[in-house]
């Protein structure tokens, strides 16, 4: 197989980064390439359709990003895109030509210094991402410390660390401006999970019913919060939830929620976690209303992470929509 760059000879139009000719044996195809600094989220693909038509006028549309997961690759292929990433994964399609390769299913580890670790650091990061982005609401270290539940010196230390990573900027008068999208994506890429213990259960009632009962049992001192699938569906309805992840600060009696022990994850529709990372419990509380009852929800970033970890094209799409909601909400 050979690849020839025709960009200089053919020139480029707006939105087209390069034109390449791929030759494999007696087959060849021309691709119009659009490069991305990150992989698109599934909910963004609809907005990319205009780009697809512009690219198709010059060649077969090909999107390139640093890393494209197996689930996203399937969605791109379904929507008529060829794709490739810098990790050696690709799926190139044209009449009479099909070239596919999957070298790795995991994103590359960041080369720069990693994010600060621990529940306190995670709470600060979650709080920064959750700010509105308005100048008059840019947090200072003292206010950030109070909301995240850490000391003011610790908050200042975390902010300096994030500043070194170019994820927050000083905006004067002791305030900090987070680069919310970059900070969110970096957190999702590096977060290793909530830790703690995990048990699997089965309920004859729906996951939503379980979340309602958990909300009724939840108290400020002993909170129980719902994450995927139920939490994201209560924020942005997307499909009938088939599972619910519950986070509890203390061990609870599953029989009080109508749960029975499952043999494993394969036959469970309820996952109960007592997390080591306490930042999954948002401050202030995030609450949805269902059937006249309050259902406390996990931190939105945790819900996005859980959707991605559970996997499946529809959950990945829901994660993208929840990400957009988080970054755009007032």
């Amino acid at each position: 197989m050979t690849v020839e760059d025709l960009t200089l000879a053919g020139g480029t139009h707006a939105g087209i980064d390069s034109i390449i000719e791929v030759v494999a044996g007696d087959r060849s195809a021309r691709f119009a390439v659009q490069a991305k600094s990150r992989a698109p989220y599934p909910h963004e693909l609809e907005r990319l359709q205009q780009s697809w038509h512009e690219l198709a006028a010059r060649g077969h549309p090909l999107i390139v990003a640093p890393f494209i997961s197996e689930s996203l690759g399937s969605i791109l292929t379904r929507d008529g895109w060829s794709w490739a990433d810098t990790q050696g994964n690709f799926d190139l399609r044209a009449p009479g030509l099909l070239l596919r390769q999957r070298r790795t299913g995991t994103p590359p580890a960041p080369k720069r210094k990693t994010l600060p670790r621990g529940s306190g650091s995670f709470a600060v990061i979650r709080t920064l991402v959750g700010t509105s982005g308005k100048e008059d609401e840019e947090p200072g270290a003292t206010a950030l410390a109070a909301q995240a539940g850490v000391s003011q010196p610790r908050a200042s230390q975390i902010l300096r660390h994030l500043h070194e990573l170019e994820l927050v900027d000083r905006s004067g008068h002791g305030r900090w401006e987070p680069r919310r999208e970059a900070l969110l994506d970096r957190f999702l890429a590096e977060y290793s999970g909530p830790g703690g213990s995990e048990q699997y259960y089965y309920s004859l009632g729906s996951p939503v019913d379980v979340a309602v009962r958990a909300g009724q049992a939840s108290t400020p001192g002993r909170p129980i919060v719902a994450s995927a699938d139920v939490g994201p569906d209560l924020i942005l309805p997307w499909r009938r939830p088939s599972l619910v992840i519950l986070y509890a600060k203390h061990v609870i009696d599953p029989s009080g929620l109508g749960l029975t022990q499952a043999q494993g994850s394969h036959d469970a529709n309820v996952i109960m976690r007592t997390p080591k990372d306490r930042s999954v419990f948002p401050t202030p509380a995030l609450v949805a209303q269902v059937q006249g009852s309050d259902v406390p929800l996990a931190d939105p970033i945790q819900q996005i992470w859980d959707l991605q970890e559970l996997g499946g094209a529809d959950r990945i799409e829901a994660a993208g929509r929840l990400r957009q909601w988080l970054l755009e909400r007032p």
Side-chain angles (χ1 to χ4, degrees):
M1 183 176 69
T2 60
V3 179
E4 183 179 359
D5 187 354
L6 304 179
T7 306
L8 294 179
T12 60
H13 292 215
I16 301 177
D17 294 302
S18 61
I19 303 292
I20 62 172
E21 186 86 16
V22 177
V23 180
D26 61 349
R27 305 285 185 174
S28 66
R30 181 170 298 190
F31 292 88
V33 181
Q34 187 172 89
K36 300 286 186 182
S37 59
R38 62 166 176 80
Y41 286 87
H43 75 278
E44 296 173 326
L45 295 182
E46 185 175 343
R47 290 183 291 178
L48 283 175
Q49 282 306 301
Q50 181 60 40
S51 297
W52 188 95
H53 290 292
E54 293 171 356
L55 292 166
R58 303 296 309 281
H60 299 287
L62 167 62
I63 197 164
V64 176
F67 175 75
I68 294 177
S69 66
E70 293 186 53
S71 56
L72 177 59
S74 297
I75 296 172
L76 288 168
T77 300
R78 179 198 70 191
D79 289 355
W81 291 90
S82 288
W83 57 267
D85 66 23
T86 58
Q87 304 306 304
N89 306 310
F90 56 80
D91 190 312
L92 307 181
R93 295 169 184 251
L97 183 69
L98 172 59
L99 301 169
R100 298 165 60 187
Q101 175 172 274
R102 170 63 64 177
R103 281 187 173 176
T104 176
T106 57
K111 296 180 180 179
R112 296 181 295 175
K113 186 178 180 181
T114 60
L115 292 172
R117 302 287 177 174
S119 288
S121 298
F122 295 155
V124 168
I125 292 171
R126 294 179 195 268
T127 301
L128 287 167
V129 173
T131 59
S132 69
K134 298 178 181 178
E135 184 176 350
D136 59 351
E137 295 187 20
E138 290 172 358
T142 301
L144 196 58
Q147 185 168 344
V150 299
S151 67
Q152 193 275 339
R154 177 57 180 156
S156 296
Q157 183 183 43
I158 295 167
L159 287 165
R160 288 195 297 270
H161 189 147
L162 296 175
H163 182 61
E164 292 174 3
L165 297 175
E166 300 180 348
L167 295 171
V168 299
D169 298 314
R170 298 180 189 272
S171 58
H173 306 292
R175 295 182 177 273
W176 297 82
E177 179 186 0
R179 299 184 181 182
R180 298 172 63 225
E181 184 173 9
L183 186 57
L184 171 58
D185 289 341
R186 185 74 180 267
F187 180 85
L188 291 171
E190 292 190 22
Y191 187 60
S192 58
S197 63
E198 179 176 273
Q199 290 83 37
Y200 299 104
Y201 297 99
Y202 183 80
S203 169
L204 294 177
S206 72
V208 174
D209 292 337
V210 173
V212 170
R213 291 196 294 270
Q216 293 168 344
S218 178
T219 64
R222 301 175 71 89
I224 307 172
V225 297
S227 184
D229 293 328
V230 172
D233 183 67
L234 295 181
I235 295 173
L236 295 171
W238 58 291
R239 73 165 197 173
R240 184 178 180 87
S242 61
L243 177 148
V244 62
I245 297 174
L246 296 176
Y247 290 97
K249 275 192 176 180
H250 302 83
V251 176
I252 63 175
D253 180 5
S255 63
L257 301 181
L259 306 179
T260 57
Q261 192 81 37
Q263 293 183 353
S265 59
H266 62 281
D267 64 345
N269 62 358
V270 180
I271 300 175
M272 182 75 70
R273 293 174 177 167
T274 306
K276 181 179 179 181
D277 174 17
R278 297 306 177 95
S279 71
V280 304
F281 302 97
T283 304
L286 178 63
V287 179
Q289 279 276 327
V290 181
Q291 305 167 9
S293 297
D294 288 342
V295 177
L297 303 181
D299 177 83
I301 302 178
Q302 191 65 38
Q303 296 184 51
I304 295 171
W305 189 87
D306 284 335
L307 284 169
Q308 293 178 342
E309 284 298 298
L310 290 172
D314 52 352
R315 286 194 177 104
I316 297 299
E317 183 171 357
R321 293 184 183 279
L322 188 59
R323 174 185 180 276
Q324 183 179 18
W325 170 84
L326 176 60
L327 293 173
E328 294 181 357
R329 67 175 178 169

